[in-house]
Structure formats: structure tokens, C-alpha cells
Amino acid sequence: MLSMSGVTTPYAGHTVRFHSGHTTAQYYVRAPLGVEPTLDGLFDATELAAGLRLLRVDLKDVRGVNVHGTLEPGLRIALVIGGKSDVSYGDRRLVLDPAQDQAARGSIVSLKRRESFFRQSRRGERERTAALTLSTTWLQSRLGIDLTHNAFFARHLAARTWTPSQQAVTLVEQMLRPPELSPALWRLYLESRALDVIVEALSCFEPKSVSSLPDATAWQLVRGTSPTASLRERDRMRMCEVRDLLDSAEAESLSLHDIAQRACVSVNTLQRHFRATWGKTVVNYLRDARLMRARVALERDGATVGEAADIAGYTSAANFATAFKRCFDISPGQVRSRR
């Protein structure tokens, strides 16, 4: 089954083309004539707001098909949290294939003009991706970015890759499997997660492109209001460094006091500044990171639920299942059964 624009469409007979479109992107799936193109999972394009679109991919390619599309000028931010993404923008090819020690890979591509899009995969390959398309109008109205004057954005097909934080990975998980909500709240739920992903992509991956804007941080520009408005730039960047430390294996052996010492602040200041910057406490951030490692072990390595609970630091499988369900809106057993 293939889901496009919120509608699940069964493949029929010898149909070879399925189409999904909105104002900044159009996609269609193509397979050889006479071959039923089968993608098992989710392929959904949603307009979250005027000029802000989300493409969600969570599928297995059963037969081997290609996705062709056309993108309008703007920015394309993609995060791959599972499997492999092999896409081309015009003649610029980007392969995002998270390594064994990485939970995800991200990319940002600047599109100065309308450009073709091509996704290719082979039979049996999996992909779990959230891709955001930001139009020039959205960038100008929300960020004040003029693509004709910014050094990175002014280059057609300029591209960078980065390793997203565990928080960003969790956000993508939530976008791929949102809770049951009314249509209006469902769209708002996805938009809120998308905005947080944009904040990370622009403020941490490409800080110069945003910090050069006058009197505004990335969070202020994207969100409209800023929980970090009371923080100095030095404090905000320090919290970025703390987050990088938490994403490393080294953090597992450090106490909260040790982390505060590394940041040259008190424990209370650490907690206050980190929550203001990233929306959660250091303890909750580490908990979510462990849960994500447990999910990777379930999906990629075939770990049992008990083994995954150990990875996440839970002695009780029931407590682990409750925390896992709260974080990902899916149970550990359901994740394991999808392998």
C-alpha cells in the first residue's frame, strides 16, 4: 500500500504511475511497464502551512521503483533516521546512509530555481525519512532570508550534510507516526515538530546563515517567540555544546554535576538554560537518547524487548514499554514485529 496526501491507494493491475502534488513539489512513482510498483509503507506529502511542506517516507521497496518529482525554489531539509536515501536534485546526487554508530543523517539543499527531483532505491531497501520543503516566500516571511544575498542560499544546489541530534531523531519519529488527532490538530502537531527540526538545521548545522541576521536567533525567527530570548548568545552556544556532549558516548559515564562542570555552570543553571534552549531537561534528553538507541536495536539488530530495555537502562520491561510508547506512540513489540 502507498499513502499519498493522506489517502491510501492500493496498486492495481498494470498501473505504473501514482502522483502526489502540492504547490512546491510534485512526485510520482514509476516502475517498468507491466510491473506492479509496490512500496510497502508510507509515502505522504502534506502542506503544513503556506510555503512549508512535509514529505514523510517510511517504507520498504518491495520491487524496486523510482520516485520522480519537481521542486520549486527554496530550501530542502531532509533527515534520514533509518535505511538509506539516494536522491538527486538535478545533477547533484546525495546519498544519506547512516553508519552503524549514527542514528540519522541530515541534509540541506538550496534551490535557486525549479529543479527536478529523483529518488532511486533497489528491491528490498528500506527508508525512513522526513523531508521539509521551505519556499522562498516562507523563508522571507518567517526568517527574513533573501536567497539572492545569502552566501549559502544564493548558490543553486549548494548542499551540506550533518548528524542530527537525538532530539531531532525523536521529532522525525513523531512525524512519521503521529498520534490519532483531528485533522486540524494533526497538521498542527506535525508543523510544531517540523519547526523544531528547522531550528536545529539552521541554528546548529548552518549557524552563520542565521546568526548573521540582525537581532534574532533561529528560534525567535522560526517560532515567532523565543524561550531563549533571555539567554545571551554565549549561553545558547554553550547549550549547543552540552547537547553535542550528550549525543556522544562519553555522556553515559558522566553525572549531572560532571556535565555542569564541563559547561562551566552550576547544575541549576545547566538545567534552566538547557530546558530553555531545547525544551527538555538534561535528564529527559538522555532518557530519550537511550530510548532511541533501544529502538534502533529493535529495528536494525533484532534485539528482544528485554535486551532493548537493558540498552535503555530499564530493569523493568513494563516500565520500559510505557516510556517507549510515550516517546514514540508505538510499543516495543510493534517495532520489533515490523522487521
mmCIF file of all heavy atoms in Angstrom, residues 245 250-265 267 270:
data_model
loop_
_atom_site.group_PDB
_atom_site.id
_atom_site.type_symbol
_atom_site.label_atom_id
_atom_site.label_comp_id
_atom_site.label_asym_id
_atom_site.label_seq_id
_atom_site.Cartn_x
_atom_site.Cartn_y
_atom_site.Cartn_z
ATOM 1 N N LEU A 245 27.721 17.018 23.626
ATOM 2 C CA LEU A 245 28.295 16.099 24.604
ATOM 3 C C LEU A 245 27.310 14.992 24.944
ATOM 4 O O LEU A 245 27.681 13.807 25.032
ATOM 5 C CB LEU A 245 28.687 16.871 25.872
ATOM 6 C CG LEU A 245 29.162 16.028 27.074
ATOM 7 C CD1 LEU A 245 30.448 15.289 26.724
ATOM 8 C CD2 LEU A 245 29.361 16.909 28.293
ATOM 9 N N GLU A 250 30.443 9.440 25.540
ATOM 10 C CA GLU A 250 31.110 9.881 26.760
ATOM 11 C C GLU A 250 30.113 10.291 27.839
ATOM 12 O O GLU A 250 30.367 10.128 29.037
ATOM 13 C CB GLU A 250 32.043 11.052 26.435
ATOM 14 C CG GLU A 250 32.866 11.534 27.610
ATOM 15 C CD GLU A 250 33.748 12.718 27.247
ATOM 16 O OE1 GLU A 250 33.680 13.179 26.094
ATOM 17 O OE2 GLU A 250 34.494 13.173 28.131
ATOM 18 N N ALA A 251 28.969 10.818 27.446
ATOM 19 C CA ALA A 251 28.000 11.333 28.414
ATOM 20 C C ALA A 251 27.429 10.241 29.308
ATOM 21 O O ALA A 251 26.962 10.520 30.416
ATOM 22 C CB ALA A 251 26.870 12.047 27.680
ATOM 23 N N GLU A 252 27.461 8.983 28.848
ATOM 24 C CA GLU A 252 26.883 7.892 29.626
ATOM 25 C C GLU A 252 27.587 7.706 30.968
ATOM 26 O O GLU A 252 26.988 7.232 31.927
ATOM 27 C CB GLU A 252 26.941 6.592 28.820
ATOM 28 C CG GLU A 252 26.021 6.564 27.622
ATOM 29 C CD GLU A 252 24.555 6.703 28.009
ATOM 30 O OE1 GLU A 252 24.147 6.097 29.021
ATOM 31 O OE2 GLU A 252 23.830 7.433 27.320
ATOM 32 N N SER A 253 28.858 8.071 31.036
ATOM 33 C CA SER A 253 29.627 7.871 32.271
ATOM 34 C C SER A 253 29.691 9.129 33.132
ATOM 35 O O SER A 253 30.374 9.145 34.160
ATOM 36 C CB SER A 253 31.053 7.414 31.929
ATOM 37 O OG SER A 253 31.728 8.406 31.160
ATOM 38 N N LEU A 254 28.982 10.183 32.729
ATOM 39 C CA LEU A 254 29.041 11.451 33.446
ATOM 40 C C LEU A 254 27.785 11.682 34.276
ATOM 41 O O LEU A 254 26.685 11.363 33.840
ATOM 42 C CB LEU A 254 29.211 12.612 32.449
ATOM 43 C CG LEU A 254 30.463 12.604 31.583
ATOM 44 C CD1 LEU A 254 30.434 13.796 30.619
ATOM 45 C CD2 LEU A 254 31.729 12.657 32.430
ATOM 46 N N SER A 255 27.973 12.241 35.456
ATOM 47 C CA SER A 255 26.841 12.645 36.277
ATOM 48 C C SER A 255 26.384 14.032 35.849
ATOM 49 O O SER A 255 27.058 14.723 35.066
ATOM 50 C CB SER A 255 27.240 12.668 37.749
ATOM 51 O OG SER A 255 28.195 13.705 37.985
ATOM 52 N N LEU A 256 25.230 14.450 36.353
ATOM 53 C CA LEU A 256 24.727 15.794 36.048
ATOM 54 C C LEU A 256 25.716 16.847 36.521
ATOM 55 O O LEU A 256 25.935 17.864 35.844
ATOM 56 C CB LEU A 256 23.361 15.990 36.708
ATOM 57 C CG LEU A 256 22.529 17.188 36.237
ATOM 58 C CD1 LEU A 256 22.252 17.088 34.745
ATOM 59 C CD2 LEU A 256 21.219 17.248 37.021
ATOM 60 N N HIS A 257 26.344 16.606 37.668
ATOM 61 C CA HIS A 257 27.352 17.530 38.187
ATOM 62 C C HIS A 257 28.555 17.605 37.242
ATOM 63 O O HIS A 257 29.092 18.703 36.993
ATOM 64 C CB HIS A 257 27.796 17.079 39.580
ATOM 65 C CG HIS A 257 28.842 17.951 40.199
ATOM 66 N ND1 HIS A 257 28.573 19.218 40.687
ATOM 67 C CD2 HIS A 257 30.182 17.753 40.379
ATOM 68 C CE1 HIS A 257 29.688 19.756 41.154
ATOM 69 N NE2 HIS A 257 30.681 18.882 40.989
ATOM 70 N N ASP A 258 28.979 16.444 36.720
ATOM 71 C CA ASP A 258 30.113 16.421 35.779
ATOM 72 C C ASP A 258 29.793 17.229 34.522
ATOM 73 O O ASP A 258 30.635 17.981 34.010
ATOM 74 C CB ASP A 258 30.449 14.983 35.382
ATOM 75 C CG ASP A 258 30.973 14.155 36.542
ATOM 76 O OD1 ASP A 258 31.560 14.750 37.473
ATOM 77 O OD2 ASP A 258 30.788 12.927 36.514
ATOM 78 N N ILE A 259 28.575 17.068 34.006
ATOM 79 C CA ILE A 259 28.172 17.784 32.790
ATOM 80 C C ILE A 259 28.149 19.288 33.040
ATOM 81 O O ILE A 259 28.590 20.081 32.206
ATOM 82 C CB ILE A 259 26.798 17.282 32.311
ATOM 83 C CG1 ILE A 259 26.897 15.807 31.908
ATOM 84 C CG2 ILE A 259 26.285 18.119 31.142
ATOM 85 C CD1 ILE A 259 25.558 15.147 31.645
ATOM 86 N N ALA A 260 27.634 19.679 34.217
ATOM 87 C CA ALA A 260 27.607 21.104 34.576
ATOM 88 C C ALA A 260 29.017 21.663 34.666
ATOM 89 O O ALA A 260 29.277 22.789 34.214
ATOM 90 C CB ALA A 260 26.865 21.291 35.894
ATOM 91 N N GLN A 261 29.944 20.880 35.227
ATOM 92 C CA GLN A 261 31.331 21.330 35.313
ATOM 93 C C GLN A 261 31.944 21.522 33.936
ATOM 94 O O GLN A 261 32.674 22.490 33.702
ATOM 95 C CB GLN A 261 32.158 20.330 36.125
ATOM 96 C CG GLN A 261 31.995 20.442 37.630
ATOM 97 C CD GLN A 261 33.048 19.653 38.379
ATOM 98 O OE1 GLN A 261 33.435 18.555 37.969
ATOM 99 N NE2 GLN A 261 33.531 20.213 39.484
ATOM 100 N N ARG A 262 31.637 20.589 33.033
ATOM 101 C CA ARG A 262 32.142 20.714 31.655
ATOM 102 C C ARG A 262 31.639 22.006 31.012
ATOM 103 O O ARG A 262 32.351 22.622 30.205
ATOM 104 C CB ARG A 262 31.687 19.525 30.818
ATOM 105 C CG ARG A 262 32.279 18.196 31.194
ATOM 106 C CD ARG A 262 33.728 18.077 30.729
ATOM 107 N NE ARG A 262 34.216 16.727 30.884
ATOM 108 C CZ ARG A 262 34.173 15.790 29.926
ATOM 109 N NH1 ARG A 262 33.661 16.081 28.734
ATOM 110 N NH2 ARG A 262 34.647 14.583 30.146
ATOM 111 N N ALA A 263 30.419 22.401 31.355
ATOM 112 C CA ALA A 263 29.828 23.605 30.773
ATOM 113 C C ALA A 263 30.192 24.867 31.555
ATOM 114 O O ALA A 263 29.790 25.975 31.155
ATOM 115 C CB ALA A 263 28.308 23.459 30.720
ATOM 116 N N CYS A 264 30.925 24.688 32.660
ATOM 117 C CA CYS A 264 31.361 25.816 33.494
ATOM 118 C C CYS A 264 30.175 26.587 34.071
ATOM 119 O O CYS A 264 30.178 27.828 34.120
ATOM 120 C CB CYS A 264 32.261 26.760 32.700
ATOM 121 S SG CYS A 264 33.767 25.985 32.087
ATOM 122 N N VAL A 265 29.128 25.843 34.481
ATOM 123 C CA VAL A 265 27.959 26.454 35.109
ATOM 124 C C VAL A 265 27.525 25.567 36.274
ATOM 125 O O VAL A 265 27.982 24.430 36.411
ATOM 126 C CB VAL A 265 26.783 26.609 34.121
ATOM 127 C CG1 VAL A 265 27.130 27.569 32.998
ATOM 128 C CG2 VAL A 265 26.358 25.252 33.559
ATOM 129 N N VAL A 267 24.693 23.290 38.420
ATOM 130 C CA VAL A 267 23.687 22.327 37.985
ATOM 131 C C VAL A 267 22.349 23.022 37.720
ATOM 132 O O VAL A 267 21.674 22.746 36.722
ATOM 133 C CB VAL A 267 23.514 21.212 39.036
ATOM 134 C CG1 VAL A 267 22.309 20.331 38.695
ATOM 135 C CG2 VAL A 267 24.775 20.360 39.118
ATOM 136 N N LEU A 270 22.589 24.948 34.498
ATOM 137 C CA LEU A 270 22.590 23.986 33.384
ATOM 138 C C LEU A 270 21.169 23.553 33.051
ATOM 139 O O LEU A 270 20.759 23.584 31.879
ATOM 140 C CB LEU A 270 23.441 22.778 33.748
ATOM 141 C CG LEU A 270 23.353 21.583 32.789
ATOM 142 C CD1 LEU A 270 23.962 21.941 31.439
ATOM 143 C CD2 LEU A 270 24.033 20.352 33.391
#
